Amino acid sequence: MQKYFLILVAALCSFRLLAQNPGGKDSLLLALRTTKVDSIKVKLLLQLGKQFGNKNYDSFYYYLQQADLLSKKIKFAAQDFYIYAGYSEYYYYKGDYKRSVVYALKGKEFATAQNDMKLLAKSYNNLAAVYNRFGNHQSAIDCILKCLDISEKTKDSASFPVRNLTASVTYYNLQQFDKAIFYAKKAYGFGKLFNNDFAVAMGLNNLSASYAQLHMLDSAIIIGKQQLALARQQEDLININYALINLCHNSFKAGNKPALEAYTKELTSYSKNMPDSQVAAELHTAAALNFMSLQKYQLAKAQLDSGMNIAKRHNNTDALENLYQALSIFYFLQGNIKEGSNYSYKHDSIIQAANLQKLNFYTEELETKYETEKKDSQIQLQQAQLRQKSTLNYFLITGTAAVLLISLLGYRNYKHRQKLQQAKIDELETEKLLTATAAVLKGEEQERSRLAKDLHDGLGGMLSGVKHSLSSMKENLIMTPDNAQAFERSIDMLNSSISEMRRVAHNMMPEMLVKYGLDTALKEFCTEITRSGATKANYQSIDIDKESIEQTISVTIYRIAQELVNNAIKHGKASEVLVQLHLHRQEKLLALTVEDDGIGFDVNLLNKANGIGWKNIQSRVDFLKGKLDIQSVPGNGTSVMIEITR
């Protein structure tokens, strides 16, 4: 399996302490020399360490250690969580799993002792990041699910983009690509909502990689292009390279030689400014794939050899895995079965070694967990002793609170009854509105069905009879050449009228939908759109082929898809449209996605739109009690996702 570039979101919450000093390191050093308050010095030292980040981890560690020593000296524990997170991050990037996880667990202990739920959520996110980084995916999924649960309970909405991104990475590592897509879409949506460019870009990255693993190359490439466009807009060099490398691999698999050559050429232009060892090795892999597609095998071999040297020098196993796979393909393409099999074996050996490493991590995790539980028991014992000493105080406070509570209960009960009555009224009004909508939609479909039947059986039969009569008359009439030619034109116009009448009747109530269901009807609809030349419409369905969907729901979803595709053609001027129907069985969720590469639009303008198209779509979604999410940027196409709980 190809290792795609999927950002393992560290998100180690080390330094969310002060607003970033606009003067940078020099300004922070000056403030450190002039301040006389030791607690502020601790914060400044942490900020200084963050200034170096992943550029100079020796300096990062130095300032982190100075902050730790000063904090202990003045017994200033308020920043202990961020100090623990800093050490965890340092060992994270140094590849020391054991120390990284120990400090991440210390951060969790601190948050638990402080009963700070937001810090606890950050702790679980940090642990998930560490476990993901070192292959302990079982523990990672446990931590990120706890993190998401706490984040929702505390309504820490600003954290939703990155934490859903971490969940996407975790499910990707577990090869549960449907869930990876689900959380990547949530990360993308929340990133848009909270202007988190990192989450938006990486959400697209994770979506593209997940679709590629499901062999849905059309979707992977479309989203990869969106990622590349956004990365260029943000001038994010790292993200540009990640998008280009993934697009090279997907274009090679899709057999799109011009696209592969173009992406490789652009990727090569960035190579001088990318010191990252993994990216450097992958640049050579992408170039080799391009040369293989052009059957320039000597040039391909030179690129692969260069990539191998870089990957081995930096002990980069992910890059080696991709290089071994590319070398296997290289030799198989030339008919050298022996060498191809040899590199295929090396590729499998790396995967087996990674699996063995995971087992070792699980053993270390159990040992660490045992030690942590011992400390937790000691903390609980101390807390029990404190509770015994405080019992008398609790009784006094409780007595006072009881008097206040009794006086408030009556007022609270009155307000509660008012809220219940209002909620019931709102519920009845909503139910009434939905009933009216259902009646309108049902009547509309019945009228469509009746008109379609009348057109096909009534008018269609009459026109066919007229055609037959005219054809019979022709044999018994003597006409001049001009009259004969006019007669033939009349017959042709009659044939066109019959075909147009049948097309209109079919659109009003598709026979495919009634006989074979929603999946077949949507596939036929997209085929007809492509055949008409209006645009290229691709259709994909996931886990829907054997599912029986109620006809009312099927008809409503079909009408929504029709309206969205027509909008993409008419208003979006799209050259390509993707229609996707996805059934999430575990979540009992049916999702319809329509994406296009058209001109896009400002989503905020929908609130001011007077057209009935979007209103029809919204009313149908409301009727199904579904959720509608529209993502569009002028010049970058439109994506509409509708989720219906079944």
Side-chain angles (χ1 to χ4, degrees), residues 287-431:
L289 292 176
N290 180 45
F291 285 130
M292 280 191 269
S293 73
L294 299 172
Q295 297 184 356
K296 296 180 179 181
Y297 294 115
Q298 287 185 344
L299 294 175
K301 184 63 166 61
Q303 291 291 337
L304 290 169
D305 289 341
S306 298
M308 288 287 291
N309 290 335
I310 294 172
K312 287 180 177 179
R313 186 164 64 249
H314 294 280
N315 195 26
N316 190 331
T317 55
D318 285 345
L320 274 175
E321 184 179 332
N322 284 341
L323 282 161
Y324 284 147
Q325 189 176 46
L327 279 163
S328 175
I329 295 170
F330 172 80
Y331 284 112
F332 280 134
L333 285 174
Q334 297 178 85
N336 191 338
I337 307 299
K338 181 179 178 181
E339 282 299 314
S341 299
N342 178 39
Y343 280 103
S344 180
Y345 170 76
K346 288 184 177 182
H347 172 262
D348 293 341
S349 297
I350 287 183
I351 295 174
Q352 291 171 3
N355 291 335
L356 181 60
Q357 185 185 36
K358 291 175 189 176
L359 291 175
N360 291 335
F361 285 147
Y362 294 150
T363 302
E364 291 183 3
E365 175 64 15
L366 288 173
E367 293 173 354
T368 305
K369 187 176 180 182
Y370 173 72
E371 293 297 327
T372 304
E373 287 176 351
K374 284 175 62 179
K375 292 180 180 178
D376 286 342
S377 297
Q378 293 175 354
I379 292 171
Q380 289 173 4
L381 179 60
Q382 292 174 355
Q383 289 175 341
Q385 292 172 347
L386 287 172
R387 283 195 295 270
Q388 289 175 357
K389 293 178 181 178
S390 303
T391 301
L392 181 59
N393 291 334
Y394 287 150
F395 278 125
L396 292 172
I397 293 170
T398 302
T400 305
V403 175
L404 293 172
L405 182 62
I406 291 169
S407 62
L408 291 172
L409 279 175
Y411 178 76
R412 183 176 178 273
N413 189 41
Y414 167 73
K415 297 296 290 184
H416 183 63
R417 283 201 305 271
Q418 272 192 329
K419 288 181 181 179
L420 285 176
Q421 289 173 351
Q422 185 60 44
K424 190 172 182 179
I425 292 169
D426 293 341
E427 183 180 351
L428 288 171
E429 288 178 351
T430 303
E431 185 178 343

Side-chain angles (χ1 to χ4, degrees), residues 45 63 101 131 137 168 402 407-408 542 567 592 601 624-625:
L45 286 166
Y63 286 110
V101 79
Y131 290 138
H137 307 314
S168 171
S407 62
L408 291 172
I542 303 174
N567 283 347
L592 172 69
F601 65 98
L624 295 174
K625 297 181 180 178

Side-chain angles (χ1 to χ4, degrees), residues 131-143:
Y131 290 138
N132 270 324
R133 169 72 172 80
F134 294 100
N136 191 345
H137 307 314
Q138 182 177 336
S139 297
I141 192 63
D142 178 60
C143 288

Side-chain angles (χ1 to χ4, degrees), residues 246-257:
N246 288 344
L247 282 168
C248 284
H249 282 280
N250 291 330
S251 298
F252 179 79
K253 288 181 178 180
N256 191 338
K257 294 181 182 180

Side-chain angles (χ1 to χ4, degrees), residues 16 53 64 68 102 134 144 159 185 239 268 302 387 412 446 456 470 482 498 545 592 619:
R16 305 285 181 180
L64 177 63
D68 187 18
V102 163
F134 294 100
I144 193 57
S159 71
K185 285 183 176 180
N239 197 17
T268 304
R387 283 195 295 270
R412 183 176 178 273
Q446 287 176 345
H456 188 275
L470 289 174
D482 290 338
I498 292 170
D545 51 343
L592 172 69
S619 65

Side-chain angles (χ1 to χ4, degrees), residues 539-644:
Y539 175 67
Q540 295 175 349
S541 62
I542 303 174
D543 291 338
I544 199 74
D545 51 343
K546 297 180 181 179
E547 186 71 11
S548 176
I549 301 175
E550 184 181 342
Q551 186 169 352
T552 303
I553 296 175
S554 296
V555 171
T556 306
I557 292 175
Y558 183 88
R559 296 300 181 203
I560 292 171
Q562 271 187 318
E563 189 72 39
L564 289 173
V565 172
N566 289 335
N567 283 347
I569 297 170
K570 181 179 178 182
H571 303 295
K573 298 180 175 57
S575 60
E576 189 170 355
V577 179
L578 173 65
V579 179
Q580 185 183 92
L581 192 64
H582 190 171
L583 177 62
H584 301 271
R585 296 183 185 276
Q586 290 184 341
E587 288 82 9
K588 295 183 179 180
L589 195 71
L590 184 63
L592 172 69
T593 303
V594 179
E595 299 178 345
D596 66 69
D597 61 352
I599 60 175
F601 65 98
D602 185 357
V603 178
N604 295 322
L605 297 178
L606 286 179
N607 298 326
K608 304 176 183 178
N610 295 321
I612 63 172
W614 282 110
K615 292 179 181 177
N616 283 342
I617 292 171
Q618 185 64 62
S619 65
R620 294 179 192 276
V621 172
D622 291 341
F623 167 66
L624 295 174
K625 297 181 180 178
K627 295 179 181 178
L628 175 64
D629 179 44
I630 305 168
Q631 302 292 338
S632 183
V633 176
N636 284 333
T638 302
S639 174
V640 180
M641 185 173 73
I642 296 164
E643 293 181 343
I644 301 161

Side-chain angles (χ1 to χ4, degrees), residues 480-492:
T480 64
D482 290 338
N483 287 339
Q485 188 175 6
F487 194 92
E488 287 295 336
R489 282 200 301 271
S490 298
I491 294 292
D492 290 339

